[in-house]
Amino acid sequence: MPTIWENLCYFCRRMIVPYRRVIGYMAKWVGIMVCVALALEVLVFNFNYFATAGYQPLNMRSHIKLYEGPDETFRITEARNTIEFKNLNKEVHNIYLDFAADQPAQNVPIKIQFTDEAHLTYFDSTEYSEGVPVVDVATNSWQSQFINLNTTGLMNNLKIEVVGDDVQYPVRLRTIILNAHHPFIFSGLRFGLTLGALLVAFMFRPKSVLYRLRIVEHPRRSKAGIIAANVVEVAIICALLFYGSNLVGVATPGYNQGDWDGQSIVNTFEVGGDNAQQYAELAKSFTEGKLYLEEEPPQWLQDMADPYDKGARDEAQKETGEPYLFDVAYYEGHYYVYFGVVPVLLFYLPFYLLTGANFPTAIGVLVAAIMFTLGCSAMLDRFARYHFKRVSLGVYLLVQIPIIFCSGVLYLVKFPTFYSLPIACAMAFSVWGLYFWMRGRESSRRCLMFALGSLCMALVAGCRPQFLLLSLLAIPLFWRTYLTKRRLFTRAGAREFACLVLPYVVVAVGIMAYNYARFGGFTDFGANYNLTMNDMTQRGWVWGRLPGAFFSYFLQPANMVGVFPFLQPASFATTYMGQTIKEVTFGGIFACLPVLWVLFFAAPIVRLRNAQRATRTISGVIVCLLVSGVAIAMVDAQMAGILQRYYADFSFMFLAAVVLLVFIVNENVADDPLPSRLVPAPDTAAPMPLGDRRTRALMTRALLALAALSVAYSLLLCFVPETGWYSDIYPWAYQDVLETFLFWT
């Protein structure tokens, strides 16, 4: 039996020695990136430490005229919320507000005014100028308590005022220091993000070897790269969900400690209120043989002539004081869940049967998001290996990363509620369905692959029915094989076609029976009986809603500001003289996702493909994707309104079309040869023929820029403060996030 040393030597001979040049090359550049990131963290991101090193601090404790408690801290109250220092006659560069750390954490809005050599009186915002902006200072974040000032010459008077209606008084203050020394801060998070950004920039530089590692010719190294990318993407998705959401519903000794039961390694708890538990409550009803929720609607709701009129409901609720469940279907005296039933069967019902507890919805969103990520990678890999022979790992990743991060799944993870779960599940089922279909076309086990693919595509109807339009891709994918070549009329072809159709039939029968048992109609999912902002039974199809929705979903530019995270909600205006259901959105996909600009060249690229191939499969797929994307967006606007999470319903279709167009262009531009130092000694590849380097470089740079801007927008969207998100529930903790990026303030 070989010793450990012999095993290590064998591993080195087989895995390290042949790739020693690659390992040495990568180690050198990783070391350089680490040094650069370290230098940035120490020298640049700690700018305030070096800038304040020569200041002469001035403690103003003795000049604070507020009530001082027995703990030697000053009390800022609603009646006495202003501190003013006069006749300073000093240069003041910053202020340190030393709040007591042992008080309730909160953000305290601070308004600062001063007089200096350019202002003899306090100045504020006017029609033509902006005064000193109000800043949020977190009582438990000492980084935010340092406020840099931009004064002119000597400061004479200084006024510090606590403003805002949501401040919890009293606020305890230890002291105020002028011209304070800013401490040195090494942020591991910031260092890691910087290092990650540098490594990504290095890997995707135009001359990177990634663009010369072909998926087909270098399968092992390309698969390793794809797996590594998936690991990073899943890690980012998990971090965004667990770090940024207050809706996870999972507690451990070190996470959500306030809801930990003190005994289990991990336990679940309910979040989001009664309305957010409707999936869990439906699972409980299933165990008792009911299709409606157990909660009894109030009698006044049952007595209403039109229970779907929100104004009338609100008046009746005020008169009786009895609440009702919002955003559920109400039909003949019972509450129903109109959202797709598949997530209940997939997550909630098994979890309830096993544990007796409610399944944490956020975990379901996370699982679906991860499956969508893996399914996208598998689907694109299948296309690249079997339909586009010249796709490099670099080009693959430049389209794979945007299709995952820009598809809307990150926003679903930002708000991992029961609203997001059916959309995320539909996205996951769709990509895996397409993958199995594509694999079945080249597999010896066609029936199995086709059945799995159709089952996934059919289950979409029980999640988010809008995604059923992706099933139209079966037409270009299978038309030529089964109709043009008449394989359908053979015994094997008929069997394969049955495997394609049968899962749809089985799922359709189940869903139609479920609908009929609840609402008396096979295709009635119950959305029209929703107790929501408007009367869905009277909503109908109104053409006047479409222009505003089309502009918001596709064309509206992002509303940008100069402060992290740079995005703000987009404004909305319409000439439609009726009710428009509209939540906060952040711009249209064609304005905010530059990678979609490739679609403007779709016609010549498709003509190029058609001129080279006798079949029109890829052209048909692209057309189906684009038509489906537009149709779903307009249907969403008519059925429900304009909401940011609905972008996930159709963004994938346009991004998938971009992938195919990029792959077509890539097929017509030759790669440069792989550098000899990066080719392992025992497996030296023959030099690839040189192509048009100028065209290759131009395409690479353009795609890199478009993908980077698109991904940056999608990631920044995850940090925009919104109602109900982390920034709203824990504003003082969000302030720490801001301080990490706004290091110069």
Side-chain angles (χ1 to χ4, degrees):
M1 183 174 182
T3 63
I4 295 177
W5 175 253
E6 289 173 335
N7 283 329
L8 289 174
C9 292
Y10 176 79
F11 176 80
C12 291
R13 287 196 303 269
R14 293 296 302 271
M15 301 301 297
I16 296 180
V17 173
Y19 295 93
R20 60 186 180 275
R21 288 176 294 178
V22 177
I23 295 173
Y25 178 80
M26 296 303 299
K28 179 186 73 173
W29 281 105
V30 169
I32 292 174
M33 297 297 106
V34 171
C35 292
V36 172
L38 188 62
L40 289 172
E41 178 63 31
V42 172
L43 301 177
V44 177
F45 300 148
N46 274 283
F47 160 80
N48 284 319
Y49 169 75
F50 297 103
T52 62
Y55 292 172
Q56 296 297 322
L58 180 61
N59 195 324
M60 303 300 293
R61 180 179 177 84
S62 60
H63 299 275
I64 300 176
K65 298 177 181 179
L66 293 174
Y67 170 74
E68 185 175 357
D71 56 355
E72 298 184 347
T73 62
F74 299 100
R75 267 45 173 191
I76 301 175
T77 64
E78 189 171 7
R80 301 194 65 186
N81 60 352
T82 301
I83 302 171
E84 189 169 12
F85 305 120
K86 293 188 175 182
N87 302 318
L88 292 172
N89 294 321
K90 294 182 179 295
E91 288 189 1
V92 178
H93 304 287
N94 70 13
I95 302 172
Y96 175 46
L97 302 175
D98 188 6
F99 287 108
D102 58 342
Q103 62 182 314
Q106 63 173 318
N107 268 7
V108 180
I110 301 294
K111 181 178 181 179
I112 296 176
Q113 293 177 291
F114 56 81
T115 63
D116 55 15
E117 295 181 10
H119 307 87
L120 297 180
T121 60
Y122 292 134
F123 61 95
D124 213 332
S125 297
T126 67
E127 184 180 359
Y128 304 104
S129 66
E130 288 290 327
V132 180
V134 174
V135 295
D136 285 328
V137 177
T139 56
N140 65 328
S141 172
W142 58 267
Q143 294 185 64
S144 69
Q145 296 168 16
F146 287 87
I147 304 172
N148 290 339
L149 296 179
N150 300 105
T151 62
T152 303
L154 300 179
M155 177 185 289
N156 189 30
N157 300 328
L158 172 65
K159 182 192 289 186
I160 302 170
E161 181 182 2
V162 175
V163 297
D165 298 329
D166 298 327
V167 178
Q168 299 178 18
Y169 293 102
V171 180
R172 293 164 49 218
L173 177 72
R174 284 200 288 253
T175 187
I176 295 177
I177 300 176
L178 306 183
N179 296 328
H181 290 160
H182 197 288
F184 181 86
I185 305 168
F186 187 91
S187 172
L189 172 63
R190 189 168 54 202
F191 171 76
L193 292 175
T194 304
L195 178 59
L198 290 172
L199 291 174
V200 169
F202 173 76
M203 287 189 297
F204 287 99
R205 71 195 190 282
K207 293 185 179 181
S208 173
V209 70
L210 293 180
Y211 303 111
R212 281 159 282 182
L213 281 174
R214 288 188 179 179
I215 297 289
V216 173
E217 297 180 9
H218 308 91
R220 288 198 301 177
R221 278 171 284 174
S222 62
K223 286 182 179 179
I226 294 171
I227 292 172
N230 281 168
V231 170
V232 173
E233 289 158 353
V234 169
I236 291 174
I237 290 172
C238 292
L240 288 173
L241 184 135
F242 286 108
Y243 184 79
S245 177
N246 61 298
L247 299 168
V248 174
V250 173
T252 70
Y255 180 72
N256 287 331
Q257 299 95 324
D259 293 288
W260 182 49
D261 61 13
Q263 299 176 349
S264 308
I265 298 176
V266 58
N267 65 269
T268 63
F269 60 95
E270 295 183 8
V271 293
D274 293 337
N275 182 53
Q277 304 303 320
Q278 53 183 281
Y279 262 160
E281 293 301 318
L282 182 59
K284 295 177 184 178
S285 296
F286 282 171
T287 62
E288 298 181 3
K290 302 175 182 176
L291 301 180
Y292 52 83
L293 302 183
E294 291 185 1
E295 182 170 342
E296 189 77 12
Q299 188 61 43
W300 61 261
L301 185 66
Q302 301 181 45
D303 294 339
M304 288 185 66
D306 183 7
Y308 308 108
D309 185 330
K310 186 177 186 301
R313 288 201 311 271
D314 291 344
E315 290 297 324
Q317 183 179 2
K318 288 179 183 178
E319 293 176 2
T320 63
E322 296 181 72
Y324 69 96
L325 283 182
F326 183 76
D327 222 357
V328 298
Y330 173 74
Y331 184 74
E332 294 186 351
H334 294 292
Y335 288 134
Y336 293 89
V337 176
Y338 71 90
F339 296 94
V341 71
V342 168
V344 178
L345 303 177
L346 195 63
F347 297 113
Y348 293 85
L349 184 58
F351 189 82
Y352 179 73
L353 293 174
L354 290 174
T355 67
N358 291 354
F359 177 76
T361 301
I363 301 303
V365 175
L366 179 62
V367 170
I370 292 174
M371 293 305 297
F372 171 74
T373 300
L374 301 180
C376 272
S377 300
M379 180 186 66
L380 297 187
D381 181 74
R382 176 61 48 173
F383 265 107
R385 291 185 190 279
Y386 295 93
H387 299 278
F388 298 93
K389 306 297 184 181
R390 306 184 45 149
V391 176
S392 67
L393 178 60
V395 170
Y396 171 92
L397 292 178
L398 283 182
V399 294
Q400 186 259 6
I401 295 173
I403 201 174
I404 291 172
F405 284 164
C406 303
S407 62
V409 74
L410 292 184
Y411 195 81
L412 301 180
V413 169
K414 181 179 181 180
F415 289 101
T417 66
F418 73 99
Y419 293 104
S420 300
L421 181 57
I423 303 176
C425 287
M427 296 173 71
F429 278 126
S430 295
V431 293
W432 279 106
L434 293 175
Y435 165 76
F436 285 123
W437 276 356
M438 295 303 303
R439 184 173 178 181
R441 283 159 50 101
E442 306 291 335
S443 174
S444 59
R445 297 178 296 174
R446 285 192 175 188
C447 286
L448 176 62
M449 293 297 106
F450 287 167
L452 289 174
S454 293
L455 178 62
C456 290
M457 299 297 281
L459 288 174
V460 162
C463 300
R464 187 75 170 168
Q466 288 91 319
F467 279 84
L468 278 175
L469 282 181
L470 279 177
S471 294
L472 294 177
L473 292 176
I475 297 174
L477 288 176
F478 299 114
W479 184 278
R480 180 170 179 269
T481 299
Y482 290 95
L483 293 179
T484 303
K485 292 186 174 182
R486 303 184 66 80
R487 182 177 175 84
L488 175 61
F489 303 102
T490 66
R491 179 177 298 179
R495 185 166 57 249
E496 293 161 4
F497 189 78
C499 291
L500 280 170
V501 174
L502 187 60
Y504 279 97
V505 175
V506 173
V507 173
V509 169
I511 292 178
M512 293 169 71
Y514 177 64
N515 289 339
Y516 187 82
R518 295 186 301 163
F519 306 118
F522 293 112
T523 60
D524 192 347
F525 287 84
N528 285 340
Y529 311 120
N530 184 18
L531 301 179
T532 184
M533 299 299 297
N534 61 320
D535 188 345
M536 295 293 293
T537 63
Q538 305 295 326
R539 184 169 176 83
W541 184 281
V542 181
W543 292 102
R545 298 193 191 108
L546 295 184
F550 188 89
F551 180 76
S552 296
Y553 278 144
F554 296 116
L555 304 178
Q556 185 165 35
N559 186 8
M560 304 288 293
V561 294
V563 179
F564 182 87
F566 309 115
L567 295 175
Q568 285 191 338
S571 58
F572 179 76
T574 179
T575 57
Y576 172 64
M577 303 302 289
Q579 186 181 32
T580 299
I581 304 302
K582 172 73 168 60
E583 291 185 2
V584 170
T585 58
F586 297 90
I589 59 173
F590 284 99
C592 300
L593 301 178
V595 73
L596 294 181
W597 297 350
V598 174
L599 294 175
F600 298 143
F601 305 95
I605 295 175
V606 168
R607 285 198 296 269
L608 174 65
R609 178 75 176 185
N610 291 341
Q612 296 172 338
R613 302 297 175 96
T615 62
R616 300 291 185 268
T617 300
I618 298 298
S619 304
V621 169
I622 293 173
V623 171
C624 280
L625 287 170
L626 297 179
V627 172
S628 298
V630 174
I632 290 174
M634 297 300 96
V635 168
D636 278 350
Q638 289 290 349
M639 293 176 59
I642 306 169
L643 289 78
Q644 185 65 39
R645 66 175 176 269
Y646 290 172
Y647 284 68
D649 284 344
F650 54 83
S651 296
F652 168 78
M653 288 71 166
F654 296 98
L655 291 164
V658 167
V659 171
L660 296 177
L661 294 172
V662 169
F663 283 177
I664 292 172
V665 174
N666 183 77
E667 289 292 287
N668 292 274
V669 182
D671 291 325
D672 290 338
L674 196 65
S676 60
R677 68 175 182 276
L678 297 182
V679 180
D683 186 30
T684 303
M688 300 179 188
L690 292 176
D692 187 346
R693 294 188 177 184
R694 183 175 299 177
T695 304
R696 164 65 57 186
L698 178 62
M699 186 193 82
T700 300
R701 286 179 170 85
L703 184 59
L704 177 60
L706 298 178
L709 290 172
S710 302
V711 172
Y713 165 84
S714 300
L715 290 174
L716 288 173
L717 188 56
C718 297
F719 291 94
V720 176
E722 292 187 70
T723 302
W725 185 59
Y726 184 74
S727 59
D728 183 40
I729 307 301
Y730 308 113
W732 57 91
Y734 179 70
Q735 194 64 34
D736 262 343
V737 176
L738 295 181
E739 295 296 329
T740 300
F741 294 96
L742 303 176
F743 59 89
W744 59 87
T745 58

